[in-house]
Amino acid sequence: MRRRLIVKTLGAMCLNLALLGAAATDGQGITGPATTVSITAVSGYAGHAFVYAQVTNSTFTYPAPTGDVHQSPFYSEWVPEPIASASCPWIWAVYVFERATGVQINAPTGDTQSPNFGTTTTMCASPTSTPVDQPTVAEAAARLDLDLRVFASPAVARVGSPVVVSGALNSRLTQDLNLYLSMAIEDWSVTHWMLDFGDGQVRTVNGPVGTSVNAPHTYLSAGRYDARLIAFISGHAQAAVYDRYGTVHLVRRPFAVEVGNHAVITARLRPSQSYVPPRVAVGVAPSIENGTPTSTAAFRHIDALRGALTTLSIHLVVFREGLMTIDGTPAGFGQSRLTGWRLDGGVSDASGNSGTIVGTIHGAVQPMRLQWNSPNQIVRARAEDYVVPVTLVVETRFPDGHLASYSIASSFSVTVNFAAQSG
C-alpha cells in the first residue's frame, strides 16, 4: 500500500480545522490542475454513512475506491492521523492515485504549510464519516441476532386445565460490518407467530404482533409434549455498494427470516384425591350436682350411683385423625372436632323430662343426663354393664381446606352397683 505520511509534531496543535472538511480540493498531478479530489458521503440509516473519494476532471467524475478490483481509473488510500484537538482528535488523510501511472493526483505543493500530511484531501473523522480502508466485498449484510425463549406456565400441566405457552424475542443489531461497504437494517418486525403445541394442535397468531406472545392451551390427555414456537420476521436493509465500474449505488432489499425454539410440557391426569374419615369414639366425664366435671379426662367406662341422675359431658376421643390421600399416597392428616351428638337408646330411669331424650341431636357442649334405678344385671354369674349407644357428629378439616362432616356410631359403658342413698 502506497502511503505518503509526513507526520509533524507540535505543529498539529495549530491546525486550522476549517481546512479539514470534506470540501473539494484542487489536486496537482499529471492530469493537470483541472483534476479535483473531494470526499463524498452517502447517508444511510441508523447514523451510518458510506464515505469515498471522488475524482473530477474536465469530462467525467469517478469514484476512487480502495483496492484494484474495480475499473475506476483512480484508487484511494486512507490513513488515520492523530491531532491534538478536542473537537477533532484525529483526521483521515486521503491519498488518490491514477491507476494507470500510479501517480498521486492530490499531492500538496512544496510550499504547503505544516502540518503537511502529503495530501490535499483530509477530513475529520466522525461516527457518520466512516473511512473506507478495507477490502471490497461483493455484497454486505448487516447482522441481526435474534434470541427466542419459549417457556410454559405451569411446566407440569393438568389434563383439562389450561397451560400458557409464551415466547419472548430479544434482538441485537450490528449495523456497520466494514468500512468499505456500509449496510443498515431499516426496519424489521414479526409478521406472525406459529405455535405447535405438540398434540396435533397448531395455532397462528397474525400481525401486527410484537416481540412476545402468550397462547393458552389445554391438553386433553396425559403425556410429554414438545411445544414449538416460530417467529416469522421480515424487514428491509439498505446498503451503499460499488458496481464493477466503481460507481456507488444505494440498494434497498427486503429480507425474511424465521427463528424458533421449543419447551417440553408434561401433562398429567388430575390426581385421585380421597378423604378417609377419622377413627373416633365417645368419651364422657361425670359431673357433680352443680355441673362441675369430676375430672378433666374423658372415659369410655364410668361408675354411676343407683337412683341418682347422672350428668355427663360428651367428649371426642380420637384414635386416628382423618387422612387425605392423593393417588393412594398419604398427603396429610386433618383436624377433627365434635359438633353434636345423639343418644340412640339404652336404659334411663330419669323421671319426667329430667333425662336426655333418645333420638334428638344435641350440641357438642350440651350435657347428657341419665339415671339407673337398678344395679347391673347378673348374667352367668357376672355383672353385665349398661351400654349407652351414642352417635357423634364430627367435622374434619383436611390439609387442602376440604371440610367433611361424619356421623359416627359409638358407645360407652356404665357400672351401677351402689345406691345413691343408704338404707
Side-chain angles (χ1 to χ4, degrees):
M1 180 181 294
R2 183 183 303 175
R3 295 177 178 175
R4 300 189 179 184
L5 305 181
I6 306 175
V7 181
K8 302 300 181 181
T9 56
L10 297 179
M13 297 286 294
C14 303
L15 182 64
N16 184 354
L17 298 179
L19 299 178
L20 301 181
T25 56
D26 290 335
Q28 297 293 331
I30 64 170
T31 54
T35 303
T36 60
V37 177
S38 61
I39 299 296
T40 299
V42 179
S43 297
Y45 285 79
H48 295 277
F50 183 78
V51 185
Y52 63 98
Q54 181 172 277
V55 179
T56 303
N57 59 24
S58 59
T59 307
F60 299 102
T61 298
Y62 301 92
T66 58
D68 55 3
V69 298
H70 300 288
Q71 297 184 12
S72 171
F74 305 95
Y75 68 95
S76 64
E77 295 175 359
W78 298 66
V79 179
E81 296 287 0
I83 60 176
S85 171
S87 61
C88 187
W90 55 276
I91 66 171
W92 283 90
V94 183
Y95 305 89
V96 180
F97 303 91
E98 190 176 58
R99 190 178 302 276
T101 62
V103 176
Q104 182 183 351
I105 63 173
N106 63 340
T109 59
D111 57 352
T112 300
Q113 298 180 355
S114 63
N116 185 350
F117 295 108
T119 176
T120 59
T121 309
T122 58
M123 62 173 293
C124 183
S126 70
T128 58
S129 297
T130 305
V132 286
D133 194 19
Q134 294 291 322
T136 59
V137 292
E139 297 290 344
R143 189 176 72 247
L144 179 61
D145 295 324
L146 299 167
D147 178 28
L148 177 63
R149 294 179 58 241
V150 179
F151 46 92
S153 178
V156 178
R158 296 296 180 188
V159 172
S161 297
V163 57
V164 177
V165 179
S166 303
L169 184 65
N170 296 317
S171 64
R172 184 174 66 256
L173 183 62
T174 302
Q175 292 278 29
D176 200 5
L177 294 187
N178 57 67
L179 302 180
Y180 178 76
L181 186 57
S182 178
M183 184 171 184
I185 302 294
E186 291 185 46
D187 58 78
W188 69 272
S189 62
V190 180
T191 59
H192 65 281
W193 298 88
M194 188 185 74
L195 297 100
D196 184 343
F197 296 101
D199 60 349
Q201 299 296 315
V202 178
R203 184 180 308 168
T204 300
V205 180
N206 292 314
V209 294
T211 56
S212 63
V213 65
N214 297 294
H217 184 69
T218 300
Y219 291 97
L220 301 180
S221 59
R224 186 177 174 89
Y225 299 96
D226 189 10
R228 295 188 172 274
L229 179 62
I230 300 176
F232 294 83
I233 298 167
S234 65
H236 292 85
Q238 175 176 283
V241 299
Y242 280 123
D243 63 16
R244 62 189 301 268
Y245 295 101
T247 305
V248 67
H249 299 278
L250 279 180
V251 295
R252 185 174 185 269
R253 295 187 178 128
F255 69 90
V257 66
E258 301 173 13
V259 57
N261 206 339
H262 70 104
V264 176
I265 303 172
T266 301
R268 294 178 178 172
L269 294 173
R270 289 187 175 275
S272 175
Q273 197 160 304
S274 62
Y275 305 94
V276 180
R279 288 175 51 208
V280 299
V282 62
V284 295
S287 302
I288 58 178
E289 292 183 358
N290 62 5
T292 303
T294 59
S295 172
T296 57
F299 303 95
R300 303 296 315 285
H301 174 271
I302 62 171
D303 291 324
L305 295 175
R306 175 163 49 91
L309 185 64
T310 303
T311 301
L312 304 169
S313 61
I314 306 300
H315 297 268
L316 182 66
V317 179
V318 179
F319 300 120
R320 191 209 65 199
E321 268 292 3
L323 177 65
M324 182 179 75
T325 64
I326 298 178
D327 292 334
T329 302
F333 292 95
Q335 289 186 332
S336 301
R337 68 184 186 95
L338 184 68
T339 61
W341 56 269
R342 182 183 70 221
L343 177 63
D344 292 332
V347 176
S348 179
D349 299 323
S351 61
N353 295 325
S354 60
T356 297
I357 301 174
V358 175
T360 301
I361 295 293
H362 300 272
V365 297
Q366 288 184 277
M368 179 185 292
R369 293 181 174 90
L370 300 175
Q371 181 174 324
W372 295 270
N373 294 335
S374 302
N376 287 7
Q377 294 182 355
I378 303 300
V379 178
R380 296 188 181 95
R382 296 182 61 182
E384 189 175 76
D385 290 337
Y386 289 97
V387 177
V388 181
V390 178
T391 295
L392 302 174
V393 181
V394 179
E395 182 181 85
T396 303
R397 185 176 296 276
F398 291 90
D400 63 347
H402 176 71
L403 190 63
S405 182
Y406 303 100
S407 294
I408 302 175
S410 184
S411 65
F412 64 94
S413 60
V414 182
T415 298
V416 180
N417 283 328
F418 301 100
Q421 296 179 351
S422 61

